[in-house]
Amino acid sequence: MYLQILKSNDCHLPAGSPDGTGGQFCSSGDSLYGDTGIYGGSNAITPRSKGGMWIAEKYLDVDTSTEYGQKIQLRLYQIESEAKIWGFPLEKIYIISGITYFEVNGKRYRTGGLAYTNSDTPSVRGSIEIYLDTLLDDPELSESGVIPTGARRLVAHEIIHHKFQAVLNSYEEQIEEVRSSVNPYFDFDDPQVQGFLKKNYPLIPAIRKAYVNKSSARFEKEDGITPYSRDWWGAYNSGTATTLQAFHETLAEYGALRVSNWGAIPKRSVWTELFKVVDKYSKDKKVMDRYLGTWVAP
């Protein structure tokens, strides 16, 4: 789930899996960090290690010889290792306690995580909140004896929100750069300028082909990757979600499925094409560094 700071008192509700993981898309994120940029009260947190995740102290003081303590250690390991796989900075991850619910499209959801895609507060922008209590409700082992991957799926889902937004931001910045330095009326779809763009601004033709120049109706028609993403398009059709939210949540589900069910991803789809473009250009260090900002944990 992604949370984008828009304007005061503006709150929207995204989808998730019923009584599983979900999140909220609203404008109140900055207050979660208090005046110091770090949580307080029952959610007082400390870094697990220098450059590591921020973890609520209640999870650091548990007896790891107990079943509860071992569950916590497993989930923290899964979250940290999955973030490393995607190359996401651990100091941008906040592990907090508590269980909250919200409704979307007529369904009740439990908050699993939030991705802050925009904020004026450096410690918030590009960060991820994970409600660990929600993940602790997962069974320790599935019926087949396989360790559950809920924590990994959630982290991958939230990270894709940031990767998608980073690519969109970079695209808009490059569009403005071309217009200001070349021609304010530059035609980005003119066949005669494609060579110039591919050489100097390859992201522009790639994202226009995979996203900008395709109708949202086609994306909606080829959706259905998970019940979660279908709910988002249902919310869009009922006027309770934007197309950007529906795009965000569907792409984020691709990230989650790469962890647990790669075979469910269609080999040919407008979504698969877009995901590949986002995955490729978000690996550009300049794109992600500019998006995440220069904040470094104290």
Side-chain angles (χ1 to χ4, degrees):
M1 289 33 71
Y2 84 115
L3 189 154
Q4 186 174 33
I5 310 300
L6 296 176
K7 57 185 179 181
S8 61
N9 302 319
D10 183 16
C11 189
H12 308 275
L13 299 178
S17 53
D19 290 323
T21 57
Q24 289 186 317
F25 174 92
C26 61
S27 62
S28 59
D30 285 4
S31 63
L32 296 175
Y33 291 78
D35 295 333
T36 62
I38 304 298
Y39 297 87
S42 62
N43 254 326
I45 59 175
T46 56
R48 189 174 191 179
S49 62
K50 185 173 177 57
M53 300 186 297
W54 295 86
I55 303 173
E57 291 177 357
K58 63 173 284 186
Y59 298 127
L60 297 177
D61 297 332
V62 297
D63 182 354
T64 56
S65 66
T66 65
E67 181 181 356
Y68 176 69
Q70 290 170 5
K71 281 186 176 183
I72 289 175
Q73 289 300 304
L74 173 60
R75 300 307 188 273
L76 292 177
Y77 169 77
Q78 290 178 315
I79 293 167
E80 186 172 303
S81 58
E82 189 64 30
K84 288 180 178 178
I85 288 173
W86 290 94
F88 192 81
L90 297 180
E91 61 186 22
K92 285 285 190 176
I93 298 177
Y94 294 79
I95 310 298
I96 62 175
S97 65
I99 293 178
T100 62
Y101 295 87
F102 61 94
E103 288 188 3
V104 63
N105 211 24
K107 297 180 181 178
R108 190 179 189 226
Y109 301 94
R110 181 183 296 181
T111 304
L114 296 170
Y116 291 78
T117 59
N118 187 26
S119 173
D120 292 331
T121 303
S123 61
V124 177
R125 185 175 61 252
S127 67
I128 292 172
E129 283 180 344
I130 294 177
Y131 288 76
L132 193 59
D133 287 344
T134 295
L135 296 175
L136 292 176
D137 279 352
D138 286 346
E140 187 60 23
L141 293 173
S142 67
E143 293 181 1
S144 63
V146 177
I147 294 176
T149 57
R152 290 185 180 277
R153 292 197 305 270
L154 177 62
V155 173
H157 178 107
E158 304 301 343
I159 288 174
I160 294 303
H161 280 310
H162 287 310
K163 284 178 167 285
F164 182 40
Q165 195 62 50
V167 168
L168 290 183
N169 288 2
S170 182
Y171 166 77
E172 293 293 343
E173 290 166 359
Q174 291 182 35
I175 288 287
E176 289 305 312
E177 182 178 329
V178 172
R179 284 175 173 162
S180 62
S181 63
V182 180
N183 185 338
Y185 305 103
F186 194 94
D187 181 359
F188 293 94
D189 296 317
D190 184 345
Q192 295 184 359
V193 304
Q194 297 310 301
F196 165 78
L197 290 175
K198 289 178 180 178
K199 179 180 179 181
N200 299 283
Y201 302 92
L203 170 58
I204 292 179
I207 202 71
R208 290 186 74 82
K209 179 177 181 239
Y211 176 61
V212 176
N213 290 341
K214 283 187 170 67
S215 70
S216 61
R218 183 175 177 187
F219 279 100
E220 181 181 358
K221 181 180 179 181
E222 293 191 23
D223 187 34
I225 201 70
T226 65
Y228 165 90
S229 60
R230 286 194 292 271
D231 278 343
W232 263 105
W233 287 100
Y236 162 70
N237 285 322
S238 67
T240 58
T242 66
T243 52
L244 181 60
Q245 288 173 305
F247 272 97
H248 254 285
E249 298 300 342
T250 303
L251 278 180
E253 284 296 87
Y254 265 69
L257 286 175
R258 286 188 64 173
V259 174
S260 60
N261 193 9
W262 180 255
I265 297 177
K267 299 229 182 323
R268 293 188 179 181
S269 162
V270 289
W271 289 105
T272 303
E273 180 185 0
L274 177 57
F275 182 86
K276 288 180 177 178
V277 170
V278 170
D279 189 43
K280 175 181 178 180
Y281 288 97
S282 64
K283 289 176 180 176
D284 184 334
K285 191 172 184 302
K286 291 181 179 178
V287 170
M288 288 306 296
D289 284 353
R290 183 170 178 78
Y291 169 76
L292 292 172
T294 59
W295 180 80
V296 177

